[in-house]
Amino acid sequence: MNKHLRRIFILFGVVVVSLLSSVSYAKTYGRLRVKVVIKESGKPVKDLGVNLVKIESGKTYEKKTNDNGEVVFEKLVAERGKYMVLVGFLNRKGTIMAYIPERYKYYVSIEKGKETYLEVKMVIGGVLTGRLLIKEEDGKIKPLGGKYIFCAGKDFGSMLQKTKDDGKFWCIGKESEYFVTLDRNYIRNGTYYFKYFATKVKVKSGEIKDLGDIIAYDFTNGTGIEGYVYSKETGKPIEGASITITRKVERVSGNFVKLDYIQTDTDKNGYFKATPLPEGEYKVTIDVLDYIEKKKNRELKYEEYDKYIMSIKKVKVVKGKKRKIIIKMKTE
């Protein structure tokens, strides 16, 4: 199993719906009518994407509004009929501004034999923009282009955006307080990076908030954590041990977002380095699952994982220094 995928365990729920032929359509299903309008004028919005998600199973339906700004979802199972409605953004011609729904998520209940009606009003959103840069070890500054970031609104949800070649990004959303973070698709020399580079940025409706040039990572800064991983039984260095370093997890609009995250592997000497890191306290998690699987020549069972994973809950990092740690892992 891929080591990066191994850290993500998804629990699938199985939903079995039994429909008896003797039960009438009216008693089994309901329908949903959604109308999307511009709040300030009442004008209907056509050709706008509307997603409907059944909360229990995760099944998703997608349609576009008609000329009257409406979309109808037919034959929706009413039993446990809780659904979530997500409405897209409407760009305004000649501007980067866009109309957005008053709420990021709408929840509806479907009743047997009845039509549920939902009106979604669109309002002008705000724009959060800036340019992501990195500072190389030699001091040269270059744009961080083609990388994904999350603009996570405190009251609105998360929007995944991709930076342009020059590092520029644009996030359109509701008036809110935003957290902006770099996703883990930034990989450098085999190391995965995830980091907040701006926090608590307030954006107002109709406003373009420009954060300017942002140094997401300064690789002239050696602040961080380094160390060695050895076998507890043999004392020999372990190559390929996975080191995951995180600092604080904050809940933003229902999503868990790590403030700082670096994942790297040990080299043939058992050595690892994670820089740059802002000063603070970090949790360091070490796993030797791949090493053990190679040694045993088989894939480990889930119940065996805990034997080969260790966590150090508080490792303090001081600005301008590398905190050194020595780790001995069980390998038998």
mmCIF file of all heavy atoms in Angstrom, residues 1-10 184 186-187 189-193 240-244 261-265 287 289-290:
data_model
loop_
_atom_site.group_PDB
_atom_site.id
_atom_site.type_symbol
_atom_site.label_atom_id
_atom_site.label_comp_id
_atom_site.label_asym_id
_atom_site.label_seq_id
_atom_site.Cartn_x
_atom_site.Cartn_y
_atom_site.Cartn_z
ATOM 1 N N MET A 1 0.838 -1.193 0.000
ATOM 2 C CA MET A 1 0.000 0.000 0.000
ATOM 3 C C MET A 1 0.875 1.247 0.000
ATOM 4 O O MET A 1 1.852 1.315 0.708
ATOM 5 C CB MET A 1 -0.912 0.013 1.246
ATOM 6 C CG MET A 1 -1.870 1.194 1.284
ATOM 7 S SD MET A 1 -2.820 1.261 2.829
ATOM 8 C CE MET A 1 -3.775 -0.229 2.690
ATOM 9 N N ASN A 2 0.529 2.241 -0.818
ATOM 10 C CA ASN A 2 1.281 3.489 -0.879
ATOM 11 C C ASN A 2 1.299 4.170 0.484
ATOM 12 O O ASN A 2 0.281 4.300 1.155
ATOM 13 C CB ASN A 2 0.623 4.420 -1.907
ATOM 14 C CG ASN A 2 1.390 5.698 -2.089
ATOM 15 O OD1 ASN A 2 1.376 6.562 -1.221
ATOM 16 N ND2 ASN A 2 2.047 5.821 -3.213
ATOM 17 N N LYS A 3 2.490 4.621 0.914
ATOM 18 C CA LYS A 3 2.634 5.166 2.269
ATOM 19 C C LYS A 3 1.810 6.420 2.490
ATOM 20 O O LYS A 3 1.373 6.691 3.603
ATOM 21 C CB LYS A 3 4.099 5.427 2.587
ATOM 22 C CG LYS A 3 4.728 6.550 1.796
ATOM 23 C CD LYS A 3 6.135 6.800 2.290
ATOM 24 C CE LYS A 3 7.013 5.597 2.017
ATOM 25 N NZ LYS A 3 8.394 5.839 2.460
ATOM 26 N N HIS A 4 1.601 7.215 1.423
ATOM 27 C CA HIS A 4 0.814 8.432 1.594
ATOM 28 C C HIS A 4 -0.670 8.113 1.644
ATOM 29 O O HIS A 4 -1.435 8.767 2.339
ATOM 30 C CB HIS A 4 1.118 9.414 0.478
ATOM 31 C CG HIS A 4 2.581 9.717 0.362
ATOM 32 N ND1 HIS A 4 3.286 10.294 1.394
ATOM 33 C CD2 HIS A 4 3.477 9.483 -0.633
ATOM 34 C CE1 HIS A 4 4.561 10.421 1.030
ATOM 35 N NE2 HIS A 4 4.692 9.923 -0.176
ATOM 36 N N LEU A 5 -1.101 7.095 0.903
ATOM 37 C CA LEU A 5 -2.490 6.689 0.942
ATOM 38 C C LEU A 5 -2.816 5.952 2.231
ATOM 39 O O LEU A 5 -3.941 5.955 2.701
ATOM 40 C CB LEU A 5 -2.808 5.779 -0.254
ATOM 41 C CG LEU A 5 -2.714 6.421 -1.640
ATOM 42 C CD1 LEU A 5 -3.015 5.393 -2.705
ATOM 43 C CD2 LEU A 5 -3.667 7.599 -1.761
ATOM 44 N N ARG A 6 -1.809 5.310 2.789
ATOM 45 C CA ARG A 6 -2.012 4.512 3.999
ATOM 46 C C ARG A 6 -2.541 5.368 5.150
ATOM 47 O O ARG A 6 -3.238 4.878 6.035
ATOM 48 C CB ARG A 6 -0.695 3.858 4.419
ATOM 49 C CG ARG A 6 -0.869 2.706 5.403
ATOM 50 C CD ARG A 6 0.435 2.451 6.126
ATOM 51 N NE ARG A 6 1.493 2.033 5.246
ATOM 52 C CZ ARG A 6 1.781 0.761 4.946
ATOM 53 N NH1 ARG A 6 1.037 -0.200 5.442
ATOM 54 N NH2 ARG A 6 2.797 0.478 4.158
ATOM 55 N N ARG A 7 -2.198 6.658 5.136
ATOM 56 C CA ARG A 7 -2.584 7.535 6.242
ATOM 57 C C ARG A 7 -4.021 8.001 6.153
ATOM 58 O O ARG A 7 -4.497 8.725 7.002
ATOM 59 C CB ARG A 7 -1.639 8.726 6.300
ATOM 60 C CG ARG A 7 -0.222 8.293 6.621
ATOM 61 C CD ARG A 7 0.754 9.428 6.591
ATOM 62 N NE ARG A 7 2.073 8.917 6.842
ATOM 63 C CZ ARG A 7 2.865 8.395 5.917
ATOM 64 N NH1 ARG A 7 2.467 8.332 4.673
ATOM 65 N NH2 ARG A 7 4.062 7.929 6.227
ATOM 66 N N ILE A 8 -4.667 7.662 5.053
ATOM 67 C CA ILE A 8 -6.053 8.097 4.886
ATOM 68 C C ILE A 8 -6.949 6.866 4.876
ATOM 69 O O ILE A 8 -6.903 6.077 3.946
ATOM 70 C CB ILE A 8 -6.245 8.882 3.578
ATOM 71 C CG1 ILE A 8 -5.293 10.076 3.542
ATOM 72 C CG2 ILE A 8 -7.675 9.344 3.445
ATOM 73 C CD1 ILE A 8 -5.306 10.819 2.243
ATOM 74 N N PHE A 9 -7.717 6.680 5.898
ATOM 75 C CA PHE A 9 -8.624 5.542 5.974
ATOM 76 C C PHE A 9 -10.048 6.073 5.833
ATOM 77 O O PHE A 9 -10.473 6.923 6.611
ATOM 78 C CB PHE A 9 -8.474 4.810 7.307
ATOM 79 C CG PHE A 9 -7.126 4.197 7.490
ATOM 80 C CD1 PHE A 9 -6.157 4.833 8.249
ATOM 81 C CD2 PHE A 9 -6.818 3.005 6.876
ATOM 82 C CE1 PHE A 9 -4.905 4.292 8.408
ATOM 83 C CE2 PHE A 9 -5.558 2.453 7.032
ATOM 84 C CZ PHE A 9 -4.601 3.090 7.791
ATOM 85 N N ILE A 10 -10.741 5.567 4.824
ATOM 86 C CA ILE A 10 -12.100 6.017 4.572
ATOM 87 C C ILE A 10 -13.059 4.904 4.967
ATOM 88 O O ILE A 10 -12.918 3.776 4.516
ATOM 89 C CB ILE A 10 -12.308 6.381 3.095
ATOM 90 C CG1 ILE A 10 -11.305 7.473 2.699
ATOM 91 C CG2 ILE A 10 -13.728 6.839 2.841
ATOM 92 C CD1 ILE A 10 -11.323 7.789 1.244
ATOM 93 N N ARG A 184 -0.920 20.129 0.108
ATOM 94 C CA ARG A 184 0.245 19.268 0.201
ATOM 95 C C ARG A 184 0.772 18.834 -1.166
ATOM 96 O O ARG A 184 1.580 17.926 -1.246
ATOM 97 C CB ARG A 184 -0.106 18.024 1.017
ATOM 98 C CG ARG A 184 0.687 17.902 2.269
ATOM 99 C CD ARG A 184 0.397 16.701 3.107
ATOM 100 N NE ARG A 184 -0.621 15.805 2.717
ATOM 101 C CZ ARG A 184 -1.863 15.823 3.184
ATOM 102 N NH1 ARG A 184 -2.229 16.746 4.034
ATOM 103 N NH2 ARG A 184 -2.725 14.927 2.808
ATOM 104 N N TYR A 186 2.676 20.517 -2.866
ATOM 105 C CA TYR A 186 4.007 21.091 -3.028
ATOM 106 C C TYR A 186 5.018 20.081 -2.506
ATOM 107 O O TYR A 186 5.121 19.842 -1.300
ATOM 108 C CB TYR A 186 4.124 22.419 -2.279
ATOM 109 C CG TYR A 186 5.508 23.032 -2.425
ATOM 110 C CD1 TYR A 186 6.153 23.037 -3.662
ATOM 111 C CD2 TYR A 186 6.166 23.575 -1.337
ATOM 112 C CE1 TYR A 186 7.414 23.572 -3.807
ATOM 113 C CE2 TYR A 186 7.430 24.127 -1.472
ATOM 114 C CZ TYR A 186 8.047 24.116 -2.713
ATOM 115 O OH TYR A 186 9.301 24.644 -2.847
ATOM 116 N N ILE A 187 5.753 19.467 -3.424
ATOM 117 C CA ILE A 187 6.727 18.435 -3.087
ATOM 118 C C ILE A 187 8.103 18.934 -3.500
ATOM 119 O O ILE A 187 8.307 19.387 -4.627
ATOM 120 C CB ILE A 187 6.419 17.113 -3.811
ATOM 121 C CG1 ILE A 187 4.966 16.700 -3.552
ATOM 122 C CG2 ILE A 187 7.370 16.007 -3.355
ATOM 123 C CD1 ILE A 187 4.508 15.542 -4.405
ATOM 124 N N ASN A 189 12.169 17.757 -3.239
ATOM 125 C CA ASN A 189 13.168 16.734 -2.879
ATOM 126 C C ASN A 189 12.568 15.592 -2.061
ATOM 127 O O ASN A 189 13.134 15.146 -1.062
ATOM 128 C CB ASN A 189 14.330 17.374 -2.103
ATOM 129 C CG ASN A 189 15.050 18.435 -2.916
ATOM 130 O OD1 ASN A 189 15.188 18.304 -4.129
ATOM 131 N ND2 ASN A 189 15.502 19.483 -2.245
ATOM 132 N N GLY A 190 11.362 15.168 -2.471
ATOM 133 C CA GLY A 190 10.711 14.056 -1.801
ATOM 134 C C GLY A 190 9.997 14.404 -0.516
ATOM 135 O O GLY A 190 9.444 13.532 0.154
ATOM 136 N N THR A 191 9.999 15.691 -0.151
ATOM 137 C CA THR A 191 9.332 16.137 1.066
ATOM 138 C C THR A 191 8.021 16.838 0.713
ATOM 139 O O THR A 191 7.975 17.651 -0.201
ATOM 140 C CB THR A 191 10.242 17.095 1.861
ATOM 141 O OG1 THR A 191 11.417 16.384 2.272
ATOM 142 C CG2 THR A 191 9.540 17.638 3.095
ATOM 143 N N TYR A 192 6.954 16.510 1.467
ATOM 144 C CA TYR A 192 5.636 17.094 1.238
ATOM 145 C C TYR A 192 5.419 18.254 2.206
ATOM 146 O O TYR A 192 5.662 18.124 3.408
ATOM 147 C CB TYR A 192 4.542 16.040 1.468
ATOM 148 C CG TYR A 192 4.490 14.971 0.399
ATOM 149 C CD1 TYR A 192 5.513 14.031 0.278
ATOM 150 C CD2 TYR A 192 3.411 14.891 -0.473
ATOM 151 C CE1 TYR A 192 5.465 13.043 -0.698
ATOM 152 C CE2 TYR A 192 3.359 13.908 -1.442
ATOM 153 C CZ TYR A 192 4.383 12.983 -1.547
ATOM 154 O OH TYR A 192 4.330 12.006 -2.509
ATOM 155 N N TYR A 193 4.907 19.380 1.662
ATOM 156 C CA TYR A 193 4.703 20.578 2.479
ATOM 157 C C TYR A 193 3.229 20.998 2.468
ATOM 158 O O TYR A 193 2.565 20.948 1.438
ATOM 159 C CB TYR A 193 5.536 21.745 1.942
ATOM 160 C CG TYR A 193 7.021 21.564 2.113
ATOM 161 C CD1 TYR A 193 7.768 20.896 1.146
ATOM 162 C CD2 TYR A 193 7.674 22.057 3.229
ATOM 163 C CE1 TYR A 193 9.141 20.722 1.300
ATOM 164 C CE2 TYR A 193 9.041 21.897 3.394
ATOM 165 C CZ TYR A 193 9.765 21.227 2.417
ATOM 166 O OH TYR A 193 11.124 21.062 2.568
ATOM 167 N N GLY A 240 14.111 5.005 4.998
ATOM 168 C CA GLY A 240 12.733 4.997 4.513
ATOM 169 C C GLY A 240 11.683 5.087 5.595
ATOM 170 O O GLY A 240 10.493 4.899 5.319
ATOM 171 N N ALA A 241 12.084 5.385 6.840
ATOM 172 C CA ALA A 241 11.087 5.624 7.880
ATOM 173 C C ALA A 241 10.342 6.921 7.545
ATOM 174 O O ALA A 241 10.942 7.905 7.105
ATOM 175 C CB ALA A 241 11.749 5.742 9.246
ATOM 176 N N SER A 242 9.048 6.923 7.732
ATOM 177 C CA SER A 242 8.243 8.096 7.406
ATOM 178 C C SER A 242 8.115 9.006 8.623
ATOM 179 O O SER A 242 7.748 8.564 9.706
ATOM 180 C CB SER A 242 6.854 7.660 6.933
ATOM 181 O OG SER A 242 6.042 8.782 6.695
ATOM 182 N N ILE A 243 8.432 10.291 8.422
ATOM 183 C CA ILE A 243 8.381 11.283 9.495
ATOM 184 C C ILE A 243 7.310 12.320 9.139
ATOM 185 O O ILE A 243 7.400 12.987 8.107
ATOM 186 C CB ILE A 243 9.730 12.013 9.669
ATOM 187 C CG1 ILE A 243 10.894 11.016 9.718
ATOM 188 C CG2 ILE A 243 9.691 12.911 10.900
ATOM 189 C CD1 ILE A 243 10.871 10.072 10.881
ATOM 190 N N THR A 244 6.296 12.442 9.989
ATOM 191 C CA THR A 244 5.227 13.410 9.763
ATOM 192 C C THR A 244 5.209 14.401 10.919
ATOM 193 O O THR A 244 5.102 14.012 12.082
ATOM 194 C CB THR A 244 3.856 12.718 9.662
ATOM 195 O OG1 THR A 244 3.901 11.733 8.625
ATOM 196 C CG2 THR A 244 2.767 13.727 9.329
ATOM 197 N N TYR A 261 2.554 21.424 8.295
ATOM 198 C CA TYR A 261 2.680 19.986 8.072
ATOM 199 C C TYR A 261 3.878 19.755 7.160
ATOM 200 O O TYR A 261 3.990 20.392 6.113
ATOM 201 C CB TYR A 261 1.403 19.493 7.394
ATOM 202 C CG TYR A 261 1.382 18.043 6.946
ATOM 203 C CD1 TYR A 261 0.541 17.134 7.564
ATOM 204 C CD2 TYR A 261 2.150 17.583 5.882
ATOM 205 C CE1 TYR A 261 0.465 15.807 7.139
ATOM 206 C CE2 TYR A 261 2.094 16.268 5.454
ATOM 207 C CZ TYR A 261 1.244 15.381 6.082
ATOM 208 O OH TYR A 261 1.177 14.085 5.661
ATOM 209 N N ILE A 262 4.761 18.874 7.556
ATOM 210 C CA ILE A 262 5.843 18.430 6.676
ATOM 211 C C ILE A 262 5.943 16.915 6.809
ATOM 212 O O ILE A 262 5.940 16.382 7.919
ATOM 213 C CB ILE A 262 7.197 19.077 7.035
ATOM 214 C CG1 ILE A 262 7.177 20.575 6.706
ATOM 215 C CG2 ILE A 262 8.338 18.406 6.273
ATOM 216 C CD1 ILE A 262 8.484 21.302 7.000
ATOM 217 N N GLN A 263 5.996 16.229 5.679
ATOM 218 C CA GLN A 263 6.179 14.778 5.702
ATOM 219 C C GLN A 263 7.404 14.444 4.866
ATOM 220 O O GLN A 263 7.537 14.855 3.717
ATOM 221 C CB GLN A 263 4.945 14.069 5.148
ATOM 222 C CG GLN A 263 4.926 12.559 5.380
ATOM 223 C CD GLN A 263 5.740 11.785 4.356
ATOM 224 O OE1 GLN A 263 5.628 12.055 3.157
ATOM 225 N NE2 GLN A 263 6.544 10.840 4.808
ATOM 226 N N THR A 264 8.341 13.707 5.473
ATOM 227 C CA THR A 264 9.562 13.354 4.777
ATOM 228 C C THR A 264 9.988 11.945 5.189
ATOM 229 O O THR A 264 9.362 11.328 6.055
ATOM 230 C CB THR A 264 10.674 14.384 5.078
ATOM 231 O OG1 THR A 264 11.775 14.154 4.211
ATOM 232 C CG2 THR A 264 11.125 14.316 6.532
ATOM 233 N N ASP A 265 11.052 11.418 4.564
ATOM 234 C CA ASP A 265 11.550 10.075 4.870
ATOM 235 C C ASP A 265 13.021 10.144 5.286
ATOM 236 O O ASP A 265 13.751 11.064 4.891
ATOM 237 C CB ASP A 265 11.428 9.155 3.642
ATOM 238 C CG ASP A 265 9.987 8.894 3.253
ATOM 239 O OD1 ASP A 265 9.099 9.064 4.118
ATOM 240 O OD2 ASP A 265 9.737 8.525 2.092
ATOM 241 N N ASP A 287 6.707 6.338 11.453
ATOM 242 C CA ASP A 287 6.262 4.971 11.185
ATOM 243 C C ASP A 287 7.286 4.257 10.303
ATOM 244 O O ASP A 287 7.914 4.869 9.436
ATOM 245 C CB ASP A 287 4.848 4.930 10.598
ATOM 246 C CG ASP A 287 4.765 5.157 9.107
ATOM 247 O OD1 ASP A 287 5.395 4.406 8.342
ATOM 248 O OD2 ASP A 287 4.040 6.084 8.685
ATOM 249 N N LEU A 289 6.431 1.278 8.741
ATOM 250 C CA LEU A 289 5.578 0.251 8.139
ATOM 251 C C LEU A 289 6.176 -0.314 6.848
ATOM 252 O O LEU A 289 6.215 -1.534 6.645
ATOM 253 C CB LEU A 289 4.185 0.827 7.875
ATOM 254 C CG LEU A 289 3.429 1.331 9.113
ATOM 255 C CD1 LEU A 289 2.115 1.965 8.712
ATOM 256 C CD2 LEU A 289 3.196 0.204 10.104
ATOM 257 N N ASP A 290 6.659 0.582 5.972
ATOM 258 C CA ASP A 290 7.262 0.118 4.716
ATOM 259 C C ASP A 290 8.511 -0.717 4.988
ATOM 260 O O ASP A 290 8.750 -1.740 4.332
ATOM 261 C CB ASP A 290 7.609 1.311 3.825
ATOM 262 C CG ASP A 290 6.379 1.883 3.144
ATOM 263 O OD1 ASP A 290 5.273 1.408 3.446
ATOM 264 O OD2 ASP A 290 6.525 2.797 2.322
#
